[in-house]
Amino acid sequence: MSTKPRRSSTMGHLEAELPSYVPRAPGFTEHHYKLEDSKGRPWLWLTVKSRSKEARQLPLFFDGDTISGTVEVDLDKADGSKGVLISVVAGVTAVGQDEIRFLDVSSDLWDAQSSQPKHTGKLSWPYSLTLPAECTVPERGKGKQRPQVYPLPPTFSERASPAYVDYKLVVTVRKGAFRVNQTLATSFVYMPLTRAEPPSPLRQIAYREGSAIIGPEGDPDGWKTLTPVTVAGAIFGDRQVELLCTVALARPLTYALGSPVPIIVQLKGADEQALDLLSTPSAVRMHLVRVRLVGSHAAQDDITSGRSNNVFRESVGSAFFWPSDEGAQEPGTRILQGELEVKKALKLGFVFPRFSLRYMLVLLPFQAPGFAPAAGAGEPLLSERVTIASANAAGVVPRSYAPPGYVSPEEGDYNNAVGYLENGNQR
């Protein structure tokens, strides 16, 4: 089985290989912050260079970046200052709970005791702090077990989210005993850059030459064929039917932001009327589902079980299908080809203690006029874990193979179908 490309999903290699938030212009943006005294006079200044496109945005850094800039203090207005410290700190905060700090990288810029002679007026210091690739997090309630090592999670902040991941750059002016330290801080965005794994050699050739992609039989390395599932129900009120449904997903199961995910759905059965009814493209309901886990079980491998208030699922993309145009239709078999577009604005997934974000492709029961599924409308027929990357594999420019006129469907039926609203999981 193969399918021919109709349009390219990208504007070229550069656009395909870089996530949308990567600045195209060379150089860094400079951000400026200041702290004023009670009379409105500034006395502490912080400058930081970042990858953000505009100074009004929060500073942006990728994994392995060095955070650099300057700190300036007017000692005449900072009476009793004993030292100046620059820090990068980060933590996870669940709503209603204290922050769990997982990162603290600091550097002393000035110490009054070791500075001779005594300084007055304005002093300025450059700073440079490198973000580590990983951090160690002690397991709560695990006694003296060795702390676990995790990659730094990306910044995560959404309205009404049950948990947040926040990074800050903080200048601390230390005061003497019995006096409160003063701080100047800004949040910043941390975004690890990841690449999707390269597709099979045959699919790379198809993308490069604009030729048809080959199906699972001719390119087994390019597809993961999932375990077949039974689609059971009644058609037109009284006739019970059973069909065998096999789903194949493009492999590797790592997909870049802004790229299409090729999908093949095969239906087999003895009832030709049921096959015609359920092979209608609109009957197939496949979603990309985002799963957030909050609490002590956040880092566990099993994300399919449980509907507690600490598990949050929502659809972030829907697949669309069309009849396969390859070969003659065989009796007892129907084949649909499809795609799911990974939206560029999706957050990257991560696994971290107390808060994790992962993705699954989920097939819900088929939906067609005259068909009543035996399974509940919200019970998935199958699900498969996938990974979302920030960029495609080097040199790979995926194409869309949808026929002209096909567009991504509107969202809206997954969250209501699965019924999480009545379980309190949407806030």
Side-chain angles (χ1 to χ4, degrees):
M1 181 191 304
S2 63
T3 183
K4 299 177 181 179
R6 302 290 184 172
R7 57 182 170 85
S8 173
S9 64
T10 67
M11 298 300 293
H13 287 270
L14 180 62
E15 292 289 334
E17 292 182 14
L18 293 177
S20 60
Y21 45 75
V22 176
R24 295 327 192 240
F28 284 74
T29 297
E30 204 167 76
H31 308 260
H32 299 270
Y33 307 93
K34 63 183 179 181
L35 187 63
E36 299 176 344
D37 62 17
S38 59
K39 297 180 180 180
R41 299 174 301 183
W43 65 274
L44 176 60
W45 297 265
L46 169 64
T47 300
V48 58
K49 299 176 182 179
S50 91
R51 296 180 182 268
S52 293
K53 295 180 180 179
E54 299 179 19
R56 63 181 179 85
Q57 298 175 331
L58 288 176
L60 169 66
F61 300 100
F62 298 153
D63 45 321
D65 275 352
T66 295
I67 302 176
S68 63
T70 59
V71 172
E72 187 174 10
V73 177
D74 188 341
L75 294 178
D76 292 339
K77 296 186 179 70
D79 183 48
S81 297
K82 301 299 182 183
V84 178
L85 178 76
I86 184 79
S87 305
V88 170
V89 297
V92 175
T93 305
V95 173
Q97 299 184 20
D98 293 334
E99 180 189 64
I100 300 175
R101 179 72 57 84
F102 62 83
L103 180 67
D104 190 339
V105 179
S106 302
S107 176
D108 281 304
L109 301 179
W110 176 68
D111 184 357
Q113 289 185 344
S114 59
S115 178
Q116 296 295 333
K118 183 179 180 180
H119 287 285
T120 59
K122 291 183 178 180
L123 286 181
S124 179
W125 308 271
Y127 66 86
S128 178
L129 300 171
T130 300
L131 291 170
E134 300 174 327
C135 62
T136 56
V137 181
E139 293 289 328
R140 281 190 167 185
K142 299 293 184 179
K144 295 183 178 180
Q145 285 191 5
R146 180 179 300 176
Q148 299 295 308
V149 178
Y150 293 90
L152 289 186
T155 296
F156 187 91
S157 178
E158 290 182 352
R159 182 175 297 179
S161 175
Y164 305 86
V165 180
D166 189 32
Y167 288 79
K168 290 181 179 179
L169 179 64
V170 184
V171 179
T172 302
V173 178
R174 295 193 297 266
K175 299 291 186 176
F178 308 111
R179 299 187 63 181
V180 178
N181 294 338
Q182 291 180 285
T183 60
L184 173 60
T186 177
S187 293
F188 66 85
V189 177
Y190 171 70
M191 194 67 60
L193 290 182
T194 58
R195 285 194 180 273
E197 298 176 60
S200 69
L202 288 177
R203 182 167 295 130
Q204 290 188 51
I205 293 173
Y207 287 156
R208 190 163 52 247
E209 298 181 351
S211 58
I213 59 173
I214 301 174
E217 291 184 4
D219 183 19
D221 292 338
W223 299 88
K224 179 173 183 179
T225 301
L226 307 182
T227 302
V229 295
T230 300
V231 178
I235 61 172
F236 306 119
D238 55 358
R239 192 162 87 249
Q240 299 295 318
V241 297
E242 280 193 2
L243 303 177
L244 194 65
C245 175
T246 303
V247 174
L249 303 175
R251 190 165 59 177
L253 303 181
T254 306
Y255 310 114
L257 298 171
S259 66
V261 179
I263 304 168
I264 293 176
V265 174
Q266 182 187 75
L267 290 172
K268 284 190 173 184
D271 193 313
E272 291 289 329
Q273 188 177 29
L275 283 171
D276 287 338
L277 184 65
L278 297 184
S279 63
T280 304
S282 60
V284 187
R285 298 191 299 156
M286 178 166 281
H287 296 264
L288 179 63
V289 176
R290 185 177 78 165
V291 183
R292 288 173 292 165
L293 275 67
V294 180
S296 58
H297 63 307
Q300 69 183 18
D301 289 332
D302 182 13
I303 63 173
T304 61
S305 62
R307 292 187 179 178
S308 73
N309 287 336
N310 291 329
V311 182
F312 300 80
R313 300 177 177 89
E314 57 266 319
S315 173
V316 292
S318 300
F320 57 102
F321 295 88
W322 59 93
S324 172
D325 58 2
E326 291 298 316
Q329 178 177 297
E330 296 181 10
T333 301
R334 302 291 186 274
I335 296 175
L336 295 172
Q337 298 171 196
E339 285 181 0
L340 187 149
E341 183 179 356
V342 180
K343 297 176 182 177
K344 290 184 178 181
L346 290 185
K347 304 288 198 307
L348 298 182
F350 59 91
V351 176
F352 206 71
R354 316 302 294 182
F355 184 35
S356 65
L357 185 154
R358 284 171 272 200
Y359 290 93
M360 297 189 302
L361 282 170
V362 174
L363 178 67
L364 292 178
F366 285 59
Q367 192 173 68
F371 175 68
E379 294 299 326
L381 295 176
L382 59 82
S383 61
E384 184 72 20
R385 285 268 297 276
V386 298
T387 301
I388 304 302
S390 52
N392 283 298
V396 175
V397 184
R399 296 173 176 269
S400 173
Y401 288 79
Y406 272 76
V407 295
S408 299
E410 295 293 329
E411 300 298 321
D413 67 334
Y414 176 81
N415 296 329
N416 290 331
V418 177
Y420 291 116
L421 285 171
E422 53 190 47
N423 286 293
N425 287 43
Q426 298 293 326
R427 297 177 182 174

